[in-house]
């Protein structure tokens, strides 16, 4: 019974905010992919300056990263026309969680109790944001 | 130099987002009927605020990613987290968004959570 109520409320929520969810998912997905590509390019830099940033941006991974970051701005733009920035900007923190999970799952990175507690706290923060309102 | 780079990156992202939001709110206010996503984008790119905001946002993102990879992970994430809290206040002040206690506490809890993640994973 409770599962039916929960499923119905999730379905209603997705129906009401379907476009916003799709736009946010696209923006954050493209941003994460762009970030990972650009990180790969940055690791090849021998010096850490504006000049080396320019050189890195001309490499294959750099161009791919920049392209994906620029692409992520399109759904972000459409999202900001309909929803509050003060709600969706803090949700960028979800990108950090996803990058850490990718690092742990695929690259064998660290996952300690601190990381898990941090992920839990971020979700508590996000649920508080939801209660704080997000419509225009 | 590193600290100023990180501060500049975070400020550019925050300002860029605020300017883009102001531009897109202007698009919605100029049209009484409900616009489709494509229409919103079409009207949005005619506004200078959107272009300026996107430029700042792009520069900020690239500079911030480089600061995380090259230098000080904790400072970069701390300042990014603090910009979430500042954005809530500035968006209320300049764009007229709602400011609630839940939003403020939510953003502060997210900052603490992110710092724990970064310390714990060493990413």
């Amino acid at each position: 019974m409770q599962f039916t109520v929960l499923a119905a409320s999730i379905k209603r929520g997705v129906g009401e905010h379907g476009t916003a969810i799709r736009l946010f998912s696209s923006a954050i997905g493209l941003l994460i992919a762009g970030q990972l590509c650009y990180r790969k390019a940055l690791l090849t830099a021998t010096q850490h300056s504006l000049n080396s940033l320019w050189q890195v941006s001309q490499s294959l991974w750099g161009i791919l990263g920049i392209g994906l970051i620029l692409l992520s701005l399109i759904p972000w733009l459409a999202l900001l026309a309909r929803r509050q920035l003060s709600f969706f900007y803090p949700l960028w923190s979800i990108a950090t969680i996803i990058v850490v999970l990718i690092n742990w799952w695929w690259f064998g990175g660290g996952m300690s109790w601190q990381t898990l507690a941090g992920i839990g706290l971020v979700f508590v923060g996000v649920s508080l944001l939801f209660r704080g309102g997000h419509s225009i | 130099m590193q600290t100023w780079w990180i501060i500049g990156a975070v400020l550019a992202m925050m300002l860029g987002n605020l300017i883009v939001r102001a531009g897109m709110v202007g698009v919605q206010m100029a049209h009484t009927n409900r616009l489709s996503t494509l229409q919103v984008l079409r009207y949005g790119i005619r506004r200078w605020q959107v272009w300026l905001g996107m430029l700042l946002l792009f520069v900020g993102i690239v500079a911030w990613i480089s600061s995380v990879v090259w230098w000080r992970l904790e400072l970069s994430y701390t300042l990014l987290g603090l910009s979430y809290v500042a954005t809530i206040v500035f968006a209320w002040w300049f764009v007229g968004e709602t400011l609630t206690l839940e939003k403020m506490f939510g953003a502060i809890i997210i900052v603490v959570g992110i710092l724990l993640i970064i310390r714990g994973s060493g990413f």
Side-chain angles (χ1 to χ4, degrees):
Chain A
M1 179 63 188
Q2 279 184 335
F3 276 117
T4 321
V5 174
L6 183 68
S9 87
I10 290 172
K11 201 175 169 185
R12 197 171 55 241
V14 171
E16 273 176 33
H17 308 292
T19 310
I21 293 169
R22 274 191 294 276
L23 288 172
F24 180 71
S25 312
S26 322
I28 214 76
L30 288 165
L31 189 64
I32 290 168
Q35 204 180 109
L36 289 172
C37 292
Y38 203 67
R39 268 170 193 263
K40 197 172 167 62
L42 283 167
L43 289 172
T44 60
T46 47
Q47 284 184 326
H48 301 161
S49 63
L50 210 57
N51 195 30
S52 51
L53 199 64
W54 176 246
Q55 284 175 346
V56 158
S57 302
Q58 290 170 326
S59 68
L60 182 67
W61 285 109
I63 291 168
L64 194 61
I66 284 177
L68 286 167
I69 290 167
L70 283 174
L71 214 57
S72 77
L73 295 181
I74 296 170
W76 184 246
L77 203 67
L79 182 68
L80 289 188
R82 296 205 170 92
R83 292 289 192 266
Q84 293 194 11
L85 172 67
S86 54
F87 172 75
F88 276 99
Y89 187 38
L91 288 193
W92 276 20
S93 54
I94 290 173
T96 308
I97 294 180
I98 295 170
V99 171
V100 166
L101 287 176
I102 288 172
N103 189 41
W104 168 69
W105 187 260
W106 275 316
F107 304 110
M111 179 65 77
S112 64
W113 67 267
Q114 273 185 321
T115 312
L116 291 172
I119 291 173
L121 271 181
V122 169
F123 281 117
V124 171
V126 168
S127 66
L128 269 176
L129 281 176
F130 265 105
R131 286 167 59 104
H134 45 83
S135 294
I136 205 157
Chain B
M1 150 79 173
Q2 293 172 14
T3 309
W4 286 111
W5 181 293
I6 298 168
I7 290 172
V10 170
L11 279 178
M13 278 196 284
M14 193 176 77
L15 268 176
N17 268 319
L18 283 167
I19 295 171
V20 166
R21 170 70 174 149
M24 295 315 278
V25 166
V27 169
Q28 288 289 25
M29 285 173 79
H31 299 86
T32 46
N33 54 328
R34 189 169 167 75
L35 300 171
S36 71
T37 304
L38 275 177
Q39 282 174 318
V40 159
L41 289 172
R42 211 170 59 216
Y43 289 123
I45 57 169
R46 291 179 193 168
R47 292 184 168 254
W48 64 267
Q49 295 102 321
V50 172
W51 285 104
L52 176 66
M54 291 234 289
L55 178 70
L56 280 170
L57 192 53
F58 171 72
V59 169
I61 291 172
V62 169
W64 186 81
I65 296 170
S66 65
S67 78
V68 169
V69 175
W70 285 345
W71 304 313
R72 302 161 71 179
L73 203 64
E74 283 203 5
L75 183 67
S76 301
Y77 276 100
T78 307
L79 288 182
L80 181 69
L82 289 176
S83 79
Y84 296 155
V85 182
T87 300
I88 291 175
V89 178
F90 287 130
W92 163 71
W93 199 320
F94 294 116
V95 195
E97 293 189 359
T98 52
L99 177 71
T100 58
L101 270 180
E102 284 105 331
K103 268 188 186 173
M104 291 301 285
F105 280 126
I108 291 166
I109 290 172
I110 286 174
V111 177
V112 178
I114 289 292
L115 286 180
L116 271 178
I117 292 171
I118 296 309
R119 283 188 170 210
S121 66
F123 185 74

